[in-house]
Amino acid sequence: MLSFGPARMSAIGDLDPFALPIDLLFPGRSIETLRPHEAELAPHHVDFDTGRILLGVQSHLLQIGTLTILIDTCIGEHKPRPLRADWNARVASGYLDRLAAVGLSPDDIDIVMCTHLHADHIGWNTRLVDGRWVPTFGKARYLIGRSEFDHWRTEEEKAPGSHNHGSFSDSVMPLIEAGYVDLVEDGYELCQGVNLIALPGHTGGQLGLCLCHQQQQAFFCADALHSPVQVFHPDWATRFCTDPQAAIATRRGLLARAVETSALLIPAHLRHFSAMRILLDVDGIYRPEFVP
Ligand SMILES: [Zn+2]
């Protein structure tokens, strides 16, 4: 649990670690390149013995006053994801138990913010009840970026089920059909001091949240930064970024802003720590400073 002005923030895990061979996440990159940063990256973010990048698939909970916001909903259960064994047809993940452990039931969530529509960010949007996908968070409004939604809907129409592990049909459309979704844009205000910001590149319509309190800022920056590895190497785009050059520009902008304003960064997949601040060395290298 991290406090920031009037806000309380915490992570609700769904799969940890989600371990990916470095070459799968960052094509052409080698683990040896990261050795100079081993002290910061091991053991939580890089497994140097097996050559894997370690991510957490988790939601972030943001509570301000009486408002409870859930940012991203991970992988979910029962979802057919045959291309990825550790996401496929999961049961007994413990995710809702971990939500209960912080005193919340699904009906306590007021807003679900979907930063982007990849399968590891929307899975718990719905759950299977009597053979149908129904909204998991039955009293929430679900916020989805308009351009993100339009893009994937168009792609779905062209080739149904062939994107994002088929998650659009089981984790987005049931919400649309049930009338739970508000399509939103860059700048949208969730409540005073919490606004959406555009983070294009990983997906074209990716949105983050900027939390502002007395000149201090915290950014829920989604997959603009997958791993602290990219603090040292901002130009490493992932295999899963739709526009790598835009992703790099967004990441560099975010890192520069974090240095200038001493902002907190809260990437979607950051493991073990609540957040990071970013330092800039005299030699021009960014470094993460982890916040417990
Ligand atoms: Zn992701």
Side-chain angles (χ1 to χ4, degrees):
M1 172 78 73
L2 182 66
S3 291
F4 182 86
R8 291 174 296 147
M9 310 181 284
S10 55
I12 307 293
D14 191 32
L15 176 65
D16 184 81
F18 175 43
L20 287 168
I22 186 167
D23 186 63
L24 179 60
L25 187 60
F26 301 118
R29 309 296 184 178
S30 89
I31 212 79
E32 291 311 312
T33 319
L34 299 175
R35 286 283 179 198
H37 313 301
E38 190 167 351
E40 291 100 330
L41 295 175
H44 303 299
H45 313 296
V46 175
D47 181 340
F48 281 85
D49 294 334
T50 62
R52 295 182 303 170
I53 304 294
L54 305 178
L55 306 177
V57 183
Q58 59 203 353
S59 299
H60 282 104
L61 196 60
L62 171 59
Q63 295 174 282
I64 304 179
T66 59
L67 190 67
T68 300
I69 301 166
L70 190 70
I71 303 166
D72 289 338
T73 65
C74 314
I75 298 159
E77 291 186 355
H78 302 107
K79 305 268 158 112
R81 306 287 183 254
L83 297 180
R84 206 179 278 291
D86 48 359
W87 296 5
N88 189 37
R90 299 167 80 225
V91 292
S93 66
Y95 176 84
L96 294 179
D97 298 331
R98 287 187 279 279
L99 193 62
V102 298
L104 295 173
S105 82
D107 282 354
D108 291 322
I109 305 300
D110 300 305
I111 294 174
V112 177
M113 174 65 213
C114 302
T115 62
H116 61 295
L117 299 182
H118 279 169
D120 59 324
H121 292 258
I122 58 175
W124 277 105
N125 278 2
T126 57
R127 58 180 164 181
L128 197 59
V129 176
D130 298 331
R132 290 179 52 241
W133 297 112
V134 302
T136 304
F137 307 99
K139 296 190 173 165
R141 295 303 298 170
Y142 287 69
L143 307 184
I144 297 177
R146 184 180 300 278
S147 67
E148 180 76 1
F149 177 77
D150 287 346
H151 170 78
W152 292 116
R153 183 178 56 181
T154 303
E155 294 298 308
E156 274 297 298
E157 284 167 2
K158 283 191 254 173
S162 64
H163 309 281
N164 300 330
H165 303 266
S167 54
F168 195 84
S169 65
D170 59 40
S171 303
V172 178
M173 282 315 294
L175 303 176
I176 297 282
E177 287 157 7
Y180 274 67
V181 175
D182 293 328
L183 296 177
V184 293
E185 278 148 30
D186 180 17
Y188 178 88
E189 185 182 71
L190 283 75
C191 64
Q192 190 182 8
V194 182
N195 291 82
L196 299 181
I197 52 165
L199 298 170
H202 176 60
T203 63
Q206 179 174 245
L207 293 167
L209 286 85
C210 176
L211 184 57
C212 194
H213 177 72
Q214 294 179 348
Q215 320 297 327
Q216 295 289 305
Q217 292 179 322
F219 293 99
F220 291 90
C221 57
D223 286 1
L225 198 71
H226 274 82
S227 160
V229 163
Q230 291 168 301
V231 175
F232 297 107
H233 295 286
D235 293 343
W236 287 20
T238 78
R239 185 183 298 277
F240 310 110
C241 295
T242 47
D243 183 341
Q245 290 309 314
I248 290 165
T250 289
R251 184 161 41 258
R252 285 198 165 277
L254 192 63
L255 291 168
R257 194 163 164 186
V259 170
E260 273 165 33
T261 62
S262 300
L264 287 175
L265 297 187
I266 306 165
H269 296 296
L270 181 66
R271 296 186 70 224
H272 192 73
F273 298 102
S274 298
M276 296 185 281
R277 293 187 195 281
I278 306 297
L279 309 174
L280 183 61
D281 281 359
V282 283
D283 53 6
I285 305 290
Y286 290 113
R287 293 187 177 279
E289 183 181 75
F290 294 109
V291 177

